[in-house]
Protein backbone atom coordinates (compact mmCIF):
# COMPACT_ATOMS: atom_id res chain seq x y z
CA UNK A 1 0.00 0.00 0.00
CA UNK A 2 1.54 3.33 -1.05
CA UNK A 3 1.18 6.66 0.73
CA UNK A 4 -1.47 7.95 -1.69
CA UNK A 5 -3.72 4.95 -1.03
CA UNK A 6 -3.39 5.35 2.73
CA UNK A 7 -4.09 9.07 2.46
CA UNK A 8 -7.31 8.26 0.63
CA UNK A 9 -8.29 5.87 3.43
CA UNK A 10 -7.67 8.28 6.26
CA UNK A 11 -7.72 12.07 6.06
CA UNK A 12 -9.71 12.86 9.20
CA UNK A 13 -9.34 16.44 10.47
CA UNK A 14 -9.13 15.26 14.08
CA UNK A 15 -6.79 12.39 13.31
CA UNK A 16 -4.74 13.82 10.49
CA UNK A 17 -1.94 11.27 10.68
CA UNK A 18 0.86 10.86 8.17
CA UNK A 19 0.93 7.69 6.10
CA UNK A 20 3.68 6.21 8.26
CA UNK A 21 1.70 7.03 11.41
CA UNK A 22 -1.36 5.30 10.00
CA UNK A 23 0.63 2.18 9.23
CA UNK A 24 2.16 2.17 12.70
CA UNK A 25 -1.29 2.54 14.27
CA UNK A 26 -2.58 -0.49 12.38
CA UNK A 27 0.51 -2.50 13.32
CA UNK A 28 0.07 -1.47 16.97
CA UNK A 29 -3.38 -3.04 17.11
CA UNK A 30 -2.15 -6.10 15.23
CA UNK A 31 0.64 -6.61 17.76
CA UNK A 32 -1.94 -6.34 20.54
CA UNK A 33 -3.97 -9.09 18.88
CA UNK A 34 -0.91 -11.32 18.69
CA UNK A 35 -0.07 -10.66 22.35
CA UNK A 36 -3.63 -11.55 23.33
CA UNK A 37 -3.45 -14.85 21.49
CA UNK A 38 -0.11 -15.63 23.12
CA UNK A 39 -1.62 -14.88 26.53
CA UNK A 40 -4.64 -17.06 25.72
CA UNK A 41 -2.35 -19.95 24.73
CA UNK A 42 -0.45 -19.72 28.03
CA UNK A 43 -3.70 -19.37 29.99
CA UNK A 44 -5.23 -22.41 28.30
CA UNK A 45 -2.13 -24.53 28.87
CA UNK A 46 -2.00 -23.55 32.53
CA UNK A 47 -5.75 -24.20 32.93
CA UNK A 48 -5.62 -27.69 31.42
CA UNK A 49 -2.55 -28.65 33.43
CA UNK A 50 -4.14 -27.65 36.74
CA UNK A 51 -7.49 -29.21 35.84
CA UNK A 52 -5.72 -32.46 34.98
CA UNK A 53 -3.83 -32.44 38.31
CA UNK A 54 -6.94 -31.67 40.37
CA UNK A 55 -9.02 -34.25 38.50
CA UNK A 56 -6.35 -36.93 38.93
CA UNK A 57 -6.24 -36.24 42.68
CA UNK A 58 -10.04 -36.36 42.90
CA UNK A 59 -10.17 -39.69 41.05
CA UNK A 60 -7.51 -41.10 43.37
CA UNK A 61 -9.48 -40.02 46.44
CA UNK A 62 -12.63 -41.63 45.05
CA UNK A 63 -10.86 -44.90 44.17
CA UNK A 64 -9.20 -45.15 47.59
CA UNK A 65 -12.54 -44.52 49.29
CA UNK A 66 -11.51 -41.27 50.93
CA UNK A 67 -14.30 -39.50 49.07
CA UNK A 68 -17.80 -41.01 49.15
CA UNK A 69 -19.84 -39.83 46.20
CA UNK A 70 -23.08 -40.69 48.01
CA UNK A 71 -22.46 -37.85 50.45
CA UNK A 72 -19.85 -35.75 48.62
CA UNK A 73 -21.28 -35.71 45.11
CA UNK A 74 -20.81 -31.94 44.92
CA UNK A 75 -17.25 -32.68 43.80
CA UNK A 76 -18.48 -33.92 40.41
CA UNK A 77 -20.15 -30.73 39.09
CA UNK A 78 -17.31 -28.71 40.63
CA UNK A 79 -14.93 -30.59 38.33
CA UNK A 80 -17.21 -30.90 35.30
CA UNK A 81 -18.07 -27.19 34.90
CA UNK A 82 -14.45 -25.92 34.63
CA UNK A 83 -13.63 -28.70 32.15
CA UNK A 84 -16.65 -27.76 30.01
CA UNK A 85 -15.64 -24.09 29.96
CA UNK A 86 -11.99 -24.97 29.27
CA UNK A 87 -12.88 -27.01 26.20
CA UNK A 88 -15.20 -24.25 25.00
CA UNK A 89 -12.36 -21.72 25.30
CA UNK A 90 -10.01 -24.12 23.49
CA UNK A 91 -12.48 -24.56 20.63
CA UNK A 92 -12.78 -20.78 20.23
CA UNK A 93 -9.02 -20.36 20.38
CA UNK A 94 -8.46 -22.92 17.63
CA UNK A 95 -10.65 -21.03 15.18
CA UNK A 96 -8.40 -19.77 12.35
CA UNK A 97 -7.23 -16.20 12.80
CA UNK A 98 -5.18 -14.24 10.28
CA UNK A 99 -2.80 -11.47 11.34
CA UNK A 100 -1.06 -9.21 8.85
CA UNK A 101 2.16 -7.50 9.88
CA UNK A 102 3.69 -6.78 6.48
CA UNK A 103 1.76 -3.54 5.89
CA UNK A 104 -0.09 -4.91 2.84
CA UNK A 105 -3.54 -4.90 4.42
CA UNK A 106 -5.46 -1.59 4.28
CA UNK A 107 -5.50 0.33 7.54
CA UNK A 108 -9.28 0.05 7.82
CA UNK A 109 -9.10 -3.77 7.49
CA UNK A 110 -6.48 -3.96 10.22
CA UNK A 111 -8.62 -1.84 12.52
CA UNK A 112 -11.68 -3.97 11.80
CA UNK A 113 -9.71 -7.10 12.63
CA UNK A 114 -8.56 -5.46 15.86
CA UNK A 115 -12.17 -4.61 16.74
CA UNK A 116 -13.25 -8.22 16.16
CA UNK A 117 -10.39 -9.41 18.38
CA UNK A 118 -11.39 -6.91 21.05
CA UNK A 119 -15.01 -8.05 21.08
CA UNK A 120 -13.93 -11.70 21.15
CA UNK A 121 -11.85 -11.01 24.24
CA UNK A 122 -14.75 -9.18 25.84
CA UNK A 123 -16.90 -12.25 25.26
CA UNK A 124 -14.15 -14.42 26.75
CA UNK A 125 -14.03 -12.37 29.93
CA UNK A 126 -17.82 -12.40 30.23
CA UNK A 127 -17.72 -16.20 30.09
CA UNK A 128 -15.03 -16.22 32.78
CA UNK A 129 -17.34 -14.09 34.92
CA UNK A 130 -20.19 -16.53 34.27
CA UNK A 131 -17.88 -19.39 35.27
CA UNK A 132 -17.24 -17.69 38.61
CA UNK A 133 -20.97 -17.26 39.21
CA UNK A 134 -21.55 -20.96 38.57
CA UNK A 135 -18.54 -22.22 40.52
CA UNK A 136 -19.20 -20.20 43.69
CA UNK A 137 -22.43 -22.03 44.72
CA UNK A 138 -20.88 -25.37 43.68
CA UNK A 139 -17.86 -24.64 45.85
CA UNK A 140 -20.11 -23.70 48.78
CA UNK A 141 -22.04 -26.96 48.31
CA UNK A 142 -18.84 -29.05 48.24
CA UNK A 143 -17.51 -27.39 51.40
CA UNK A 144 -20.84 -27.84 53.20
CA UNK A 145 -20.78 -31.55 52.34
CA UNK A 146 -17.25 -31.86 53.72
CA UNK A 147 -18.44 -30.26 56.94
CA UNK A 148 -21.56 -32.45 57.07
CA UNK A 149 -19.54 -35.69 56.92
CA UNK A 150 -17.15 -34.42 59.57
CA UNK A 151 -14.07 -33.97 57.40
CA UNK A 152 -13.69 -30.28 58.25
CA UNK A 153 -14.57 -28.40 61.39
CA UNK A 154 -16.53 -25.16 61.45
CA UNK A 155 -13.29 -23.21 61.94
CA UNK A 156 -11.70 -24.98 58.96
CA UNK A 157 -14.82 -24.37 56.91
CA UNK A 158 -14.62 -20.63 57.61
CA UNK A 159 -10.91 -20.62 56.75
CA UNK A 160 -11.62 -22.40 53.45
CA UNK A 161 -14.38 -19.93 52.65
CA UNK A 162 -12.07 -16.97 53.32
CA UNK A 163 -9.24 -18.50 51.27
CA UNK A 164 -11.30 -19.45 48.21
CA UNK A 165 -13.37 -16.27 48.47
CA UNK A 166 -10.20 -14.18 48.46
CA UNK A 167 -8.83 -16.02 45.43
CA UNK A 168 -12.07 -15.59 43.49
CA UNK A 169 -12.30 -11.92 44.46
CA UNK A 170 -8.73 -11.25 43.33
CA UNK A 171 -9.38 -13.02 40.03
CA UNK A 172 -12.62 -11.08 39.56
CA UNK A 173 -10.78 -7.79 40.10
CA UNK A 174 -8.22 -8.71 37.42
CA UNK A 175 -10.98 -9.69 34.99
CA UNK A 176 -12.93 -6.49 35.69
CA UNK A 177 -9.80 -4.37 35.20
CA UNK A 178 -9.03 -5.98 31.83
CA UNK A 179 -12.65 -5.62 30.72
CA UNK A 180 -13.48 -2.09 31.93
CA UNK A 181 -9.98 -0.65 32.05
CA UNK A 182 -8.55 -1.93 28.77
CA UNK A 183 -10.96 -3.61 26.38
CA UNK A 184 -13.89 -1.19 26.60
CA UNK A 185 -11.74 1.95 26.19
CA UNK A 186 -9.93 0.33 23.27
CA UNK A 187 -13.25 -0.64 21.66
CA UNK A 188 -14.44 2.98 21.90
CA UNK A 189 -11.21 4.16 20.31
CA UNK A 190 -11.49 1.64 17.49
CA UNK A 191 -15.17 2.44 16.91
CA UNK A 192 -14.35 6.16 16.67
CA UNK A 193 -11.44 5.60 14.27
CA UNK A 194 -13.43 3.24 12.05
CA UNK A 195 -16.39 5.61 12.01
CA UNK A 196 -14.21 8.47 10.83
CA UNK A 197 -12.38 6.28 8.31
CA UNK A 198 -15.64 4.99 6.86
CA UNK A 199 -17.14 8.47 6.68
CA UNK A 200 -14.04 10.02 5.10
CA UNK A 201 -13.68 7.16 2.62
CA UNK A 202 -17.34 7.48 1.64
CA UNK A 203 -17.05 11.23 1.11
CA UNK A 204 -14.02 10.83 -1.16
CA UNK A 205 -15.70 8.30 -3.46
Amino acid sequence: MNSHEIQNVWNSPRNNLAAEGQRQLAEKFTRQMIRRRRFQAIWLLNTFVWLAIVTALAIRLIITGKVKLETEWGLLPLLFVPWAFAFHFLRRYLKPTIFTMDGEAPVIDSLRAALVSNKTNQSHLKLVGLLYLIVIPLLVLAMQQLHAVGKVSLHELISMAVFFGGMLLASAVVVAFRYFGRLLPQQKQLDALLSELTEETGNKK
Side-chain angles (χ1 to χ4, degrees), residues 121-132:
N121 277 272
Q122 287 188 39
S123 175
H124 176 90
L125 292 183
K126 288 178 182 178
L127 286 175
V128 172
L130 176 61
L131 174 61
Y132 290 164

Side-chain angles (χ1 to χ4, degrees), residues 26 109 117 128 133 141 164:
D109 290 344
S117 175
V128 172
L133 292 178
L141 173 63
F164 288 116

Side-chain angles (χ1 to χ4, degrees), residues 20-37:
E20 180 64 18
Q22 298 170 24
R23 184 186 63 81
Q24 291 178 356
L25 181 64
E27 289 183 354
K28 168 190 171 184
F29 287 116
T30 302
R31 285 192 296 269
Q32 289 178 346
M33 288 188 289
I34 294 174
R35 284 197 298 268
R36 285 197 193 112
R37 284 200 47 95

Side-chain angles (χ1 to χ4, degrees), residues 8 14 23 53 64 69 87 101 159 162 164 172 188 205:
N8 288 333
R14 195 178 68 182
R23 184 186 63 81
I53 292 173
T64 57
L69 291 181
F87 277 110
M101 289 292 293
S159 297
V162 171
F164 288 116
K188 292 178 181 179
K205 286 184 179 180

Side-chain angles (χ1 to χ4, degrees), residues 126-170:
K126 288 178 182 178
L127 286 175
V128 172
L130 176 61
L131 174 61
Y132 290 164
L133 292 178
I134 296 175
V135 164
I136 289 174
L138 294 177
L139 184 60
V140 171
L141 173 63
M143 291 192 298
Q144 286 179 338
Q145 289 179 343
L146 287 174
H147 178 62
V149 298
K151 290 186 175 180
V152 296
S153 65
L154 179 60
H155 176 73
E156 291 171 330
L157 182 65
I158 295 175
S159 297
M160 291 173 62
V162 171
F163 175 74
F164 288 116
M167 289 183 60
L168 288 171
L169 178 60

